[in-house]
Amino acid sequence: MSEHVPEAERQIIAAILNSPAALDDVAGVINGGDFLDARLGLVFDTALALASSSRPHDATSVLASLGDHAPRVGGLKTLMEISGSLVTAANAEYHARLVREDSLRRQVRQVATELVAHAEHHDGTTALDLLNVARSRLDSLASEDVQDVPPEAAVWHAVDALDAPRGLATPWPELTRALGGWRPGALYVIGARTSVGKSVVALNAALDMARRGKRALLFSLEMSRDEVYHRLFSNIGRVDGMRIIRNELTRENRDAIHKAAEQLAQLPIVIDDRANLSPAQIRARIKSEQRKGEVGLVVVDYLGKVKPPADVSKQDRRVQVDALAWAHKEMARELNVPVIAMSQLNRGIESRADKMPMLSDLRESGGQEQDADVVILLHRALTEHQGDPSTLHAWVAKNRHGIQPTLQLNFLGHYSAAESYPSNF
């Protein structure tokens, strides 16, 4: 702590008790929690609350507002002594910056102490998990200290952004029109029940991006790398997937697979099939790939299989999934890539007559709906008795930037493909 901080705190309180303009100068720099002396922090927050409701915030008014808490700050005598100090209100912002700097240093030390305790306590938490917690905690401190951009500069930056590249095309033109493409920094949650076609959609999205020449990362937490490649062979070579699974391949099938493999070998598609990955591991892999070239798309199949962050690992599943959704949103924004997180829907959907999904069906979490920029819910009849199994309905249930249509895709499960019909909106 700087030796000047206690006096700086008293100078700030003296200034705001005597000058309304002084409070305006410091309110954007500090808050009551930044004060080393908690009593002065309480006075600051009380004065700020009074000013926000257009009431006076002199010593007498603050004391009246404190009510039963007035003795905590020393009563009227203490406030009058402080407000009567020789002070220059013009220096209030300078003193506020001293206090804010000292507050940040204290908070960094506190985070460091907690991290040391975590690191020494062997509870199954990996070093990478600890790094993720450290990064999150320190980033939150940094984000609190970001200075406002002057309005004029912010306006012209927005004008310049009009010519910035828009989202990258999806494999489905009608979806591209609805969403404006896959936008860097955005989180897309795609939800469905088991066997409806989540992994097929994930696979097609990654393959399409790689074909456009941009690196596509597919984190496959359920299927092995070989299984994913076999599905890609089926898709590209138009070989029935069941023939591959059963090893009933004809010469023509093998020729088609060989040609598909030659194509895939030239595409920038990266498949990571490690099980139980944490957000920290996913983030580290993305950054590693970004050093090799531009990453156009990240697909996580699926969110529920990702290992929860260490700081919520012992909490209930809903809290864990909320934390996972937020971690993927942060990842998208920080690394400036579109992230698609596949998600499982609740079984409750099966009890409805039409079996059509709703946002509330997202399993174990409201955080997915809240943090996602776009939520797409998939539905498909699994038997002919229920409808046409070859039609995959994709409802854009949430879209921060546009319309919310229901698209119909031609589902070719035996080829691990989902293709567009002509647009119907």
Side-chain angles (χ1 to χ4, degrees):
M1 179 192 72
S2 168
E3 60 181 328
H4 303 294
V5 167
E7 181 57 27
E9 292 184 349
R10 289 179 63 87
Q11 290 284 309
I12 291 168
I13 297 302
I16 68 173
L17 291 177
N18 285 289
S19 170
L23 184 58
D24 293 336
D25 290 341
V26 302
V29 180
I30 56 172
N31 58 58
D34 288 320
F35 283 76
L36 182 63
D37 188 331
R39 297 170 301 171
L40 298 183
L42 178 60
V43 172
F44 181 90
D45 282 341
T46 303
L48 187 60
L50 288 169
S52 298
S53 57
S54 301
R55 290 184 287 170
H57 55 272
D58 55 83
T60 303
S61 300
V62 168
L63 194 70
S65 183
L66 282 169
D68 292 341
H69 296 291
R72 290 177 54 191
V73 300
L76 183 61
K77 179 181 179 182
T78 299
L79 289 187
M80 293 304 293
E81 286 177 356
I82 295 175
S83 65
S85 302
L86 182 63
V87 62
T88 303
N91 292 334
E93 184 176 353
Y94 168 76
H95 291 128
R97 296 199 180 281
L98 284 179
V99 170
R100 178 58 180 164
E101 172 72 14
D102 188 70
S103 173
L104 276 175
R105 288 181 180 275
R106 293 198 309 272
Q107 292 178 70
V108 169
R109 286 196 295 270
Q110 181 180 348
V111 170
T113 300
E114 293 173 2
L115 289 172
V116 168
H118 277 302
E120 293 178 348
H121 184 61
H122 299 285
D123 57 356
T125 301
T126 68
L128 199 54
D129 287 333
L130 288 171
L131 283 173
N132 195 45
V133 171
R135 183 180 294 111
S136 176
R137 294 287 303 278
L138 293 174
D139 284 349
S140 68
L141 292 182
S143 64
E144 291 174 4
D145 209 46
V146 172
Q147 299 300 311
D148 288 337
V149 177
E152 183 178 4
V155 168
W156 289 111
H157 182 274
V159 171
D160 292 339
L162 291 173
D163 296 323
R166 291 298 185 260
L168 301 166
T170 79
W172 310 282
E174 58 270 36
L175 185 63
T176 300
R177 288 195 292 274
L179 305 183
W182 305 126
R183 295 172 179 262
L187 172 63
Y188 301 82
V189 171
I190 301 181
R193 287 290 295 138
T194 303
S195 300
V196 165
K198 290 193 307 295
S199 293
V200 169
V201 169
L203 199 75
N204 281 247
L207 177 60
D208 178 75
M209 185 58 65
R211 281 173 163 163
R212 296 177 189 275
K214 298 186 184 296
R215 195 173 295 271
L217 275 65
L218 174 59
F219 293 92
S220 178
L221 287 91
E222 281 197 303
M223 292 188 291
S224 70
R225 184 183 287 108
D226 283 349
E227 288 177 296
V228 175
Y229 275 124
H230 290 169
R231 289 197 176 199
L232 288 168
F233 295 158
S234 173
N235 181 296
I236 297 170
R238 283 305 194 252
V239 176
D240 191 323
M242 290 307 298
R243 284 188 170 274
I244 295 176
I245 291 172
R246 295 169 180 165
N247 195 21
E248 297 175 352
L249 300 172
T250 65
R251 181 181 298 275
E252 290 77 12
N253 294 153
R254 293 185 182 278
D255 288 344
I257 288 173
H258 185 78
K259 291 178 181 177
E262 289 179 338
Q263 290 184 40
L264 271 173
Q266 303 303 314
L267 294 178
I269 184 168
V270 178
I271 299 165
D272 190 324
D273 65 348
R274 288 175 290 171
N276 205 31
L277 281 172
S278 68
Q281 290 172 306
I282 293 173
R283 180 186 179 281
R285 183 63 189 270
I286 297 170
K287 287 187 69 69
S288 174
E289 295 299 329
Q290 285 181 321
R291 288 191 286 269
K292 302 173 187 176
E294 181 183 356
V295 172
L297 187 66
V298 173
V299 183
V300 179
D301 188 19
Y302 68 93
L303 188 69
K305 292 289 185 180
V306 178
K307 182 180 178 182
D311 54 340
V312 298
S313 60
K314 291 180 170 35
Q315 299 192 45
D316 67 57
R317 184 59 179 166
R318 180 175 294 275
V319 173
Q320 292 179 5
V321 177
D322 283 350
L324 286 172
W326 179 243
H328 283 72
K329 174 60 179 177
E330 281 189 316
M331 192 186 304
R333 292 187 62 182
E334 179 190 350
L335 303 181
N336 198 36
V337 293
V339 174
I340 301 175
M342 314 309 292
S343 181
Q344 189 87 337
L345 297 183
N346 291 316
R347 289 191 180 91
I349 187 175
E350 304 298 338
S351 63
R352 293 199 289 272
D354 60 4
K355 295 185 169 41
M356 294 299 291
M358 301 184 296
L359 280 170
S360 58
D361 294 320
L362 286 169
R363 177 176 285 182
E364 300 163 323
S365 172
Q368 294 182 69
E369 176 187 349
Q370 175 180 315
D371 296 328
D373 296 275
V374 174
V375 177
I376 301 172
L377 302 179
L378 306 178
H379 171 69
R380 182 172 66 88
L382 299 182
T383 67
E384 292 184 1
H385 175 72
Q386 298 173 341
D388 183 1
S390 68
T391 298
L392 179 63
H393 302 270
W395 173 38
V396 181
K398 175 185 177 181
N399 183 6
R400 291 192 196 276
H401 305 294
I403 58 177
Q404 296 174 240
T406 297
L407 315 177
Q408 292 187 353
L409 304 178
N410 186 23
F411 186 77
L412 304 170
H414 55 299
Y415 292 149
S416 292
E419 301 174 347
S420 286
Y421 288 123
S423 175
N424 57 0
F425 70 91

